[in-house]
Amino acid sequence: MSNTYGDKFRVTTYGESHGPAVGAVIDGCPAGVSLDLEAIAATLARRRHGAPRQEEDSIEWLSGLRDGITLGTPIAFVIRNNNTRPEDYAPLEHLFRPGHADYTYYMKYGLRDHRGGGRSSARETVARVVAGAVAMQLMPEVEIEAKSQKPKEESPNDTIGGVVSCRVTGVPAGIGEPLFGKLNASLAAAMMSIPSAIGFEMGSGFKAAEMSGSEYIDRWNNDGSTKTNHCGGIQGGISNGMPIEFRVAFHPVVSIPQPVECLHEDGHLETVNIDGRHDHYHIERAAVVVEAMTALCLINYML
Amino acid sequence: MSNTYGDKFRVTTYGESHGPAVGAVIDGCPAGVSLDLEAIAATLARRRHGAPRQEEDSIEWLSGLRDGITLGTPIAFVIRNNNTRPEDYAPLEHLFRPGHADYTYYMKYGLRDHRGGGRSSARETVARVVAGAVAMQLMPEVEIEAKSQKPKEESPNDTIGGVVSCRVTGVPAGIGEPLFGKLNASLAAAMMSIPSAIGFEMGSGFKAAEMSGSEYIDRWNNDGSTKTNHCGGIQGGISNGMPIEFRVAFHPVVSIPQPVECLHEDGHLETVNIDGRHDHYHIERAAVVVEAMTALCLINYML
Amino acid sequence: MSNTYGDKFRVTTYGESHGPAVGAVIDGCPAGVSLDLEAIAATLARRRHGAPRQEEDSIEWLSGLRDGITLGTPIAFVIRNNNTRPEDYAPLEHLFRPGHADYTYYMKYGLRDHRGGGRSSARETVARVVAGAVAMQLMPEVEIEAKSQKPKEESPNDTIGGVVSCRVTGVPAGIGEPLFGKLNASLAAAMMSIPSAIGFEMGSGFKAAEMSGSEYIDRWNNDGSTKTNHCGGIQGGISNGMPIEFRVAFHPVVSIPQPVECLHEDGHLETVNIDGRHDHYHIERAAVVVEAMTALCLINYML
Amino acid sequence: MSNTYGDKFRVTTYGESHGPAVGAVIDGCPAGVSLDLEAIAATLARRRHGAPRQEEDSIEWLSGLRDGITLGTPIAFVIRNNNTRPEDYAPLEHLFRPGHADYTYYMKYGLRDHRGGGRSSARETVARVVAGAVAMQLMPEVEIEAKSQKPKEESPNDTIGGVVSCRVTGVPAGIGEPLFGKLNASLAAAMMSIPSAIGFEMGSGFKAAEMSGSEYIDRWNNDGSTKTNHCGGIQGGISNGMPIEFRVAFHPVVSIPQPVECLHEDGHLETVNIDGRHDHYHIERAAVVVEAMTALCLINYML
């Protein structure tokens, strides 16, 4: 079910970056909740901030709401792709760009939509951000804040990546599942499903692997809280009431503003200057998606 | 479905560390495969290597096989817990150890099996290792090798963690799914579901976040392979035919051989010397579990 | 997952009968299939035939297709509700009609869309018919034919029900699953999910319960076919290569053209003449939905 | 997931009729429930009543319980097959019996366990009955009663089928789901998954198809109950608070005590006298399985 996220609050997304539209159907949203649709639109606008392809991204709600109140039925929405420039991609019809998913999609499906990456494009995250904003409104006691860290300045001729740190407060102790349903395992999958994500760590993460046990263990306070939070707020897959803290590494934007060697379907290499509109730095926008995916992950445990 | 892993090759595990037995049911194994049961037992013996609690761990096969050939029906197996010492845990009946899942299980379920961690114990991974060994035999072309890196020597009075590096060869290009079914996202969840796992990264991982795009991009060879493998063999959630490479960080063993302050259910703190038999270093055994979970993850894409 | 049907070919439907639109997202459709969109529109027109609420029901395809070829990505479509008359339902705002799902939805959700039944309306089957028509094009070797039997003539003042017989040819032997995945069990669920369905039987069905074993058993021909088909083409949950035959009973239309006593939310009874546009006989259209659900059921086993 | 039933209360069964054991793992049972294990054994004894193959059927509980209290972890149990007589089946090694699933399993898997039907044997229902008995104890307010109706006396040389009527009281209004998660659709699938089941109807069922709307509609009482129960207690897939009533048709036992023509794998027909121990009439025992599957169906909606 690769296009559906969640089991209780299920989001099924659709849409190619250069097709008519992107959107999703949310199944499992409780009935009787008054949604603030303007706040959702504002969250979506935050994602757009600074993106080279500026779209109005107006959300049309197709079902599941009456006068802004959820009916308990599937909430479908659609966002039109107005500002596509498929002609930018014409030279790439038979080429696989390096660092992109062009080649792997082709190997899997035997065909691909070469126009802007199809489903592998970051355009797809629009639907996640809207669905995540709905989820957030169902958990008003939970606060999710993701911050991007820019490792260095991008140059006009190159791109960069970065790390997003996320901190979640307001999740009570006892949220999660054992074994394969561990909350940290679900968060890891949710984050690694974001385009460009390449690493995930809870709490002290890779640094914890170098600590001794007596350094690592989070000591108790009398009230069940702990003096440190090396574990990142989750033990045995279940929240302990401390802030949930994790970091997500993103590799640099792979569409670099330089000529690159592409692989032709017939096996020869061809140097191309790719014209599509692309970010040099995408981590600020990635942070909005990290927040959305965190909300989508958590709501499935909180409902 | 927190105790079930997979959708095509589904493993449902059961068993408390100090209950009568651990085991699993595997559903979705193809019919007509001749399983080498001795090789499976040998893999399980590798996991046991160096563990303080030595059990014979003999596997009884309850169904799904006839003369060692799979019938296409569920494969159930059971491994008895012979060497339990529940009396070791009597002093812990009303205490929450620091760093353990005692508190979070209690907050979730309102009760817990204080004897040895119940389902949160590493004992549970026995069933994963057996099921993973079955999965490996269904993919003879795939080789999975995990190596543990010991960051420093453990002391008699402290424990350590470490990192497991895993390298998978033989997975052809085109294996994986887009979006939420990304192979890297599933690997992340599989690894983070292992007790003590606290970080995951593909390829260059957190280092990739500090590279520029022109450093990061893996350049093509004519045959579709790449000159570097910063991405770790997966692009857009789908394998590209290069080795799949990832690293898993494990925090130190949280049962440290020193007196520790535990939290009593009534809220006071109590210093206790925990007597259970525990590792000082568990990363060698974690590597066996990493291989098993990698196999269980991959088989669901390869079938 | 009450609004999603299927596991390999997953259809998630959305839309209230008097909201803006109905539609679905299909996930799991193979890539590279050329869909005949006009044939799909024609199937949808067959469903409309004779319906009192005449809509144009034009299908807008939002994703998953390029030049009519499937991309292997989610296929989303939307059909606008143009001809709603919500004012017809104003008198019903606080009333529960007898025989309808008004009361049960209210008891479940604590609120409901009283306008035309919301999701419980037959309007919802529009999305099923479109998705089913897509599924049929993926199995050109399979022929599904459903016939409605009218038990008697409807009168101007009353409604009737009926039985739909369905016969499927072209399914080879060996399609199905044991136990809870039995093909006949899935067909039963698929059929009973259709509004008004109240009974299901395979082959000789309830008559088989009165036969002796020697009458019932389908005798072999040399080629693996059988001389009779009392079992309806499925044994042990798996097809035997004979035609798959089953019958679905539908209760009469529950919106009867007579004054009826409704239950008010405050507990008193109120006689009302319901004005909505309703069928007197709906079994011809039910047959189109039976065919669609049969296709959706089968494709999940055939892919 | 053909060997797993349920989503919240998930039962994964295993075991061949002539293998070492049958059993199941139950995942999703709430923690802290005191199970009456003797009552469960007694239910299992009711299933055995009158069966030609008498086994002790003693249940060994492997996990999930401590002192009879559920831990919220998977409950695994095993029942040994003591009284197998695989030699009875030796003459059938290359033959397909008429009316059985021998042929369809062979066509699906390319091999089969010819000894007693493997997973298609009624022996498999032992695990369902135990799991169903656990489920019943989680819903003490619900009463499930199934009654078998014997259509005629069996003869020494022939077998018969019959109908099981089931009536469930204590289910409040509002239990169920719309569309594909309809409670009646799930009940239909649950019942049709029982070996020999060939028809299912809610309330007035196939008779309802011949009624007019004014006859069929269940009229209100002031308290939300209805004067009749033609719909069988479910409307729009959701319970209305009236008793849930349905009937299940079972075809006759297909192992008839007469010589029958079997199909040989090489295509010739061969007359054989089948020696296995078989019922002439199995509907009394089927009623116990109907009750178990009803409990397993309901608990997934009630939890």
Side-chain angles (χ1 to χ4, degrees), chain B residues 240-275:
Chain B
N240 65 6
M242 293 290 289
I244 295 174
E245 295 178 318
F246 57 87
R247 297 169 79 242
V248 189
F250 290 89
H251 63 64
V253 175
V254 290
S255 293
I256 58 175
Q258 303 173 20
V260 289
E261 262 191 339
C262 293
L263 179 67
H264 193 281
E265 286 173 17
D266 70 11
H268 78 273
L269 299 175
E270 198 173 316
T271 300
V272 175
N273 219 324
I274 299 169
D275 275 331

Short mmCIF file of all heavy atoms in Angstrom, two decimals, chain B residues 240-275:
data_model
loop_
_atom_site.label_atom_id
_atom_site.label_comp_id
_atom_site.label_asym_id
_atom_site.label_seq_id
_atom_site.Cartn_x
_atom_site.Cartn_y
_atom_site.Cartn_z
N ASN B 240 18.66 0.47 -6.98
CA ASN B 240 19.24 0.80 -8.29
C ASN B 240 20.26 -0.26 -8.75
O ASN B 240 20.94 -0.07 -9.75
CB ASN B 240 19.89 2.20 -8.27
CG ASN B 240 21.08 2.27 -7.33
OD1 ASN B 240 21.50 1.26 -6.77
ND2 ASN B 240 21.61 3.47 -7.15
N GLY B 241 20.34 -1.37 -8.02
CA GLY B 241 21.22 -2.45 -8.44
C GLY B 241 22.60 -2.41 -7.80
O GLY B 241 23.35 -3.39 -7.86
N MET B 242 22.94 -1.30 -7.17
CA MET B 242 24.20 -1.22 -6.41
C MET B 242 23.98 -1.91 -5.05
O MET B 242 22.86 -2.17 -4.65
CB MET B 242 24.57 0.26 -6.20
CG MET B 242 24.92 1.01 -7.46
SD MET B 242 26.51 0.45 -8.16
CE MET B 242 27.68 1.12 -6.95
N PRO B 243 25.05 -2.22 -4.33
CA PRO B 243 24.86 -2.78 -2.99
C PRO B 243 24.00 -1.86 -2.13
O PRO B 243 24.15 -0.63 -2.20
CB PRO B 243 26.29 -2.89 -2.43
CG PRO B 243 27.16 -2.98 -3.63
CD PRO B 243 26.49 -2.13 -4.68
N ILE B 244 23.13 -2.46 -1.36
CA ILE B 244 22.34 -1.68 -0.41
C ILE B 244 23.14 -1.60 0.88
O ILE B 244 23.51 -2.62 1.45
CB ILE B 244 20.96 -2.34 -0.18
CG1 ILE B 244 20.17 -2.31 -1.50
CG2 ILE B 244 20.20 -1.65 0.94
CD1 ILE B 244 18.85 -3.06 -1.45
N GLU B 245 23.42 -0.36 1.29
CA GLU B 245 24.31 -0.17 2.44
C GLU B 245 23.67 0.76 3.45
O GLU B 245 23.18 1.84 3.09
CB GLU B 245 25.64 0.42 1.97
CG GLU B 245 26.41 -0.55 1.08
CD GLU B 245 27.71 0.01 0.54
OE1 GLU B 245 27.73 1.19 0.13
OE2 GLU B 245 28.71 -0.74 0.52
N PHE B 246 23.68 0.32 4.69
CA PHE B 246 23.11 1.18 5.74
C PHE B 246 23.79 0.86 7.06
O PHE B 246 24.48 -0.15 7.20
CB PHE B 246 21.60 0.99 5.84
CG PHE B 246 21.14 -0.41 6.09
CD1 PHE B 246 21.03 -0.90 7.38
CD2 PHE B 246 20.83 -1.25 5.04
CE1 PHE B 246 20.61 -2.20 7.62
CE2 PHE B 246 20.40 -2.56 5.26
CZ PHE B 246 20.29 -3.03 6.55
N ARG B 247 23.59 1.76 8.01
CA ARG B 247 24.19 1.61 9.34
C ARG B 247 23.10 1.81 10.40
O ARG B 247 22.20 2.63 10.23
CB ARG B 247 25.31 2.64 9.55
CG ARG B 247 26.48 2.44 8.58
CD ARG B 247 27.45 3.62 8.61
NE ARG B 247 28.35 3.58 9.74
CZ ARG B 247 28.42 4.50 10.70
NH1 ARG B 247 27.61 5.57 10.67
NH2 ARG B 247 29.28 4.39 11.68
N VAL B 248 23.24 1.06 11.47
CA VAL B 248 22.28 1.14 12.57
C VAL B 248 23.04 1.42 13.86
O VAL B 248 23.98 0.68 14.19
CB VAL B 248 21.48 -0.18 12.72
CG1 VAL B 248 20.34 0.01 13.71
CG2 VAL B 248 20.97 -0.67 11.37
N ALA B 249 22.64 2.50 14.55
CA ALA B 249 23.26 2.81 15.84
C ALA B 249 22.46 2.16 16.97
O ALA B 249 21.22 2.19 16.95
CB ALA B 249 23.28 4.33 16.05
N PHE B 250 23.19 1.55 17.90
CA PHE B 250 22.55 0.95 19.09
C PHE B 250 23.08 1.64 20.34
O PHE B 250 24.28 1.81 20.50
CB PHE B 250 22.87 -0.55 19.16
CG PHE B 250 22.21 -1.35 18.10
CD1 PHE B 250 22.82 -1.57 16.87
CD2 PHE B 250 20.94 -1.88 18.31
CE1 PHE B 250 22.19 -2.30 15.87
CE2 PHE B 250 20.31 -2.62 17.32
CZ PHE B 250 20.93 -2.82 16.09
N HIS B 251 22.17 2.02 21.22
CA HIS B 251 22.61 2.60 22.48
C HIS B 251 23.16 1.49 23.38
O HIS B 251 22.94 0.30 23.12
CB HIS B 251 21.49 3.40 23.16
CG HIS B 251 20.29 2.61 23.56
ND1 HIS B 251 20.32 1.61 24.50
CD2 HIS B 251 18.99 2.68 23.16
CE1 HIS B 251 19.11 1.12 24.67
NE2 HIS B 251 18.28 1.73 23.85
N PRO B 252 23.89 1.85 24.43
CA PRO B 252 24.48 0.82 25.30
C PRO B 252 23.41 -0.03 25.99
O PRO B 252 22.26 0.41 26.13
CB PRO B 252 25.26 1.64 26.34
CG PRO B 252 25.38 3.01 25.79
CD PRO B 252 24.24 3.22 24.86
N VAL B 253 23.81 -1.19 26.42
CA VAL B 253 22.96 -2.03 27.27
C VAL B 253 22.51 -1.20 28.46
O VAL B 253 23.34 -0.54 29.10
CB VAL B 253 23.77 -3.25 27.76
CG1 VAL B 253 22.95 -4.09 28.74
CG2 VAL B 253 24.24 -4.08 26.57
N VAL B 254 21.22 -1.19 28.74
CA VAL B 254 20.72 -0.32 29.82
C VAL B 254 20.70 -0.99 31.18
O VAL B 254 20.49 -0.33 32.20
CB VAL B 254 19.32 0.26 29.49
CG1 VAL B 254 19.44 1.28 28.35
CG2 VAL B 254 18.33 -0.83 29.13
N SER B 255 20.93 -2.29 31.24
CA SER B 255 21.10 -2.97 32.54
C SER B 255 22.58 -2.89 32.90
O SER B 255 23.37 -3.72 32.46
CB SER B 255 20.68 -4.44 32.44
OG SER B 255 19.30 -4.54 32.22
N ILE B 256 22.94 -1.88 33.66
CA ILE B 256 24.37 -1.69 33.95
C ILE B 256 24.74 -2.38 35.27
O ILE B 256 23.92 -2.46 36.18
CB ILE B 256 24.76 -0.19 33.98
CG1 ILE B 256 23.96 0.58 35.01
CG2 ILE B 256 24.59 0.42 32.60
CD1 ILE B 256 24.40 2.03 35.16
N PRO B 257 25.97 -2.91 35.34
CA PRO B 257 26.41 -3.66 36.53
C PRO B 257 26.85 -2.73 37.65
O PRO B 257 27.99 -2.77 38.10
CB PRO B 257 27.56 -4.51 35.99
CG PRO B 257 28.08 -3.76 34.82
CD PRO B 257 26.96 -2.94 34.26
N GLN B 258 25.96 -1.88 38.04
CA GLN B 258 26.20 -0.92 39.12
C GLN B 258 24.86 -0.72 39.83
O GLN B 258 23.81 -0.93 39.23
CB GLN B 258 26.59 0.46 38.57
CG GLN B 258 27.79 0.52 37.67
CD GLN B 258 27.93 1.93 37.08
OE1 GLN B 258 27.38 2.90 37.60
NE2 GLN B 258 28.65 2.02 35.99
N PRO B 259 24.86 -0.26 41.05
CA PRO B 259 23.60 0.12 41.69
C PRO B 259 22.97 1.28 40.92
O PRO B 259 23.69 2.20 40.49
CB PRO B 259 24.03 0.58 43.09
CG PRO B 259 25.41 0.03 43.29
CD PRO B 259 26.03 -0.06 41.93
N VAL B 260 21.66 1.20 40.68
CA VAL B 260 20.96 2.28 39.97
C VAL B 260 19.70 2.68 40.74
O VAL B 260 19.11 1.86 41.44
CB VAL B 260 20.54 1.88 38.53
CG1 VAL B 260 21.76 1.76 37.63
CG2 VAL B 260 19.72 0.61 38.52
N GLU B 261 19.33 3.93 40.58
CA GLU B 261 18.10 4.41 41.19
C GLU B 261 16.90 4.01 40.34
O GLU B 261 16.81 4.40 39.16
CB GLU B 261 18.14 5.94 41.31
CG GLU B 261 18.56 6.41 42.69
CD GLU B 261 18.32 7.91 42.84
OE1 GLU B 261 18.22 8.62 41.81
OE2 GLU B 261 18.25 8.39 43.97
N CYS B 262 15.99 3.24 40.92
CA CYS B 262 14.75 2.88 40.24
C CYS B 262 13.61 3.74 40.78
O CYS B 262 13.67 4.21 41.92
CB CYS B 262 14.43 1.40 40.47
SG CYS B 262 15.61 0.28 39.69
N LEU B 263 12.58 3.89 39.96
CA LEU B 263 11.38 4.61 40.38
C LEU B 263 10.35 3.59 40.87
O LEU B 263 10.00 2.66 40.15
CB LEU B 263 10.81 5.41 39.21
CG LEU B 263 9.54 6.22 39.46
CD1 LEU B 263 9.79 7.37 40.44
CD2 LEU B 263 8.98 6.77 38.14
N HIS B 264 9.89 3.76 42.11
CA HIS B 264 8.86 2.88 42.64
C HIS B 264 7.50 3.34 42.13
O HIS B 264 7.29 4.52 41.86
CB HIS B 264 8.90 2.90 44.17
CG HIS B 264 8.09 1.81 44.81
ND1 HIS B 264 6.73 1.87 44.94
CD2 HIS B 264 8.46 0.61 45.32
CE1 HIS B 264 6.28 0.76 45.52
NE2 HIS B 264 7.32 -0.03 45.77
N GLU B 265 6.56 2.40 41.99
CA GLU B 265 5.21 2.75 41.53
C GLU B 265 4.58 3.84 42.39
O GLU B 265 3.75 4.61 41.91
CB GLU B 265 4.31 1.51 41.55
CG GLU B 265 4.62 0.54 40.41
CD GLU B 265 3.84 -0.78 40.54
OE1 GLU B 265 2.85 -0.80 41.29
OE2 GLU B 265 4.22 -1.75 39.87
N ASP B 266 4.97 3.90 43.67
CA ASP B 266 4.39 4.93 44.55
C ASP B 266 5.12 6.27 44.45
O ASP B 266 4.78 7.22 45.15
CB ASP B 266 4.33 4.43 45.99
CG ASP B 266 5.70 4.32 46.64
OD1 ASP B 266 6.70 4.82 46.07
OD2 ASP B 266 5.79 3.73 47.72
N GLY B 267 6.16 6.35 43.62
CA GLY B 267 6.79 7.63 43.35
C GLY B 267 8.11 7.89 44.06
O GLY B 267 8.77 8.88 43.76
N HIS B 268 8.54 7.02 44.97
CA HIS B 268 9.84 7.28 45.58
C HIS B 268 10.94 6.58 44.78
O HIS B 268 10.67 5.67 43.98
CB HIS B 268 9.87 6.88 47.05
CG HIS B 268 10.03 5.40 47.28
ND1 HIS B 268 8.98 4.52 47.34
CD2 HIS B 268 11.16 4.65 47.47
CE1 HIS B 268 9.43 3.30 47.56
NE2 HIS B 268 10.74 3.34 47.62
N LEU B 269 12.16 7.02 44.96
CA LEU B 269 13.30 6.45 44.25
C LEU B 269 14.00 5.45 45.17
O LEU B 269 14.06 5.65 46.39
CB LEU B 269 14.27 7.55 43.81
CG LEU B 269 13.69 8.58 42.85
CD1 LEU B 269 14.69 9.69 42.58
CD2 LEU B 269 13.27 7.91 41.54
N GLU B 270 14.52 4.38 44.60
CA GLU B 270 15.09 3.31 45.40
C GLU B 270 16.33 2.78 44.68
O GLU B 270 16.25 2.42 43.50
CB GLU B 270 14.03 2.21 45.53
CG GLU B 270 14.28 1.24 46.66
CD GLU B 270 13.08 0.30 46.84
OE1 GLU B 270 11.90 0.78 46.81
OE2 GLU B 270 13.31 -0.90 46.98
N THR B 271 17.45 2.73 45.38
CA THR B 271 18.68 2.25 44.73
C THR B 271 18.75 0.73 44.82
O THR B 271 18.57 0.15 45.90
CB THR B 271 19.91 2.89 45.39
OG1 THR B 271 19.81 4.31 45.24
CG2 THR B 271 21.19 2.41 44.70
N VAL B 272 18.97 0.12 43.67
CA VAL B 272 18.89 -1.34 43.57
C VAL B 272 20.09 -1.84 42.78
O VAL B 272 20.56 -1.18 41.85
CB VAL B 272 17.58 -1.75 42.85
CG1 VAL B 272 17.56 -3.26 42.62
CG2 VAL B 272 16.36 -1.32 43.65
N ASN B 273 20.55 -3.02 43.16
CA ASN B 273 21.56 -3.71 42.38
C ASN B 273 20.85 -4.81 41.59
O ASN B 273 20.34 -5.77 42.18
CB ASN B 273 22.60 -4.31 43.33
CG ASN B 273 23.98 -4.17 42.74
OD1 ASN B 273 24.12 -4.29 41.53
ND2 ASN B 273 24.98 -3.93 43.58
N ILE B 274 20.74 -4.67 40.29
CA ILE B 274 19.93 -5.60 39.50
C ILE B 274 20.74 -6.85 39.20
O ILE B 274 21.86 -6.78 38.70
CB ILE B 274 19.46 -4.92 38.21
CG1 ILE B 274 18.59 -3.71 38.56
CG2 ILE B 274 18.71 -5.89 37.34
CD1 ILE B 274 18.29 -2.81 37.41
N ASP B 275 20.13 -8.02 39.52
CA ASP B 275 20.89 -9.25 39.48
C ASP B 275 20.76 -10.05 38.18
O ASP B 275 21.50 -11.01 37.97
CB ASP B 275 20.47 -10.16 40.64
CG ASP B 275 21.24 -9.80 41.91
OD1 ASP B 275 22.37 -9.31 41.79
OD2 ASP B 275 20.69 -10.03 43.00
#
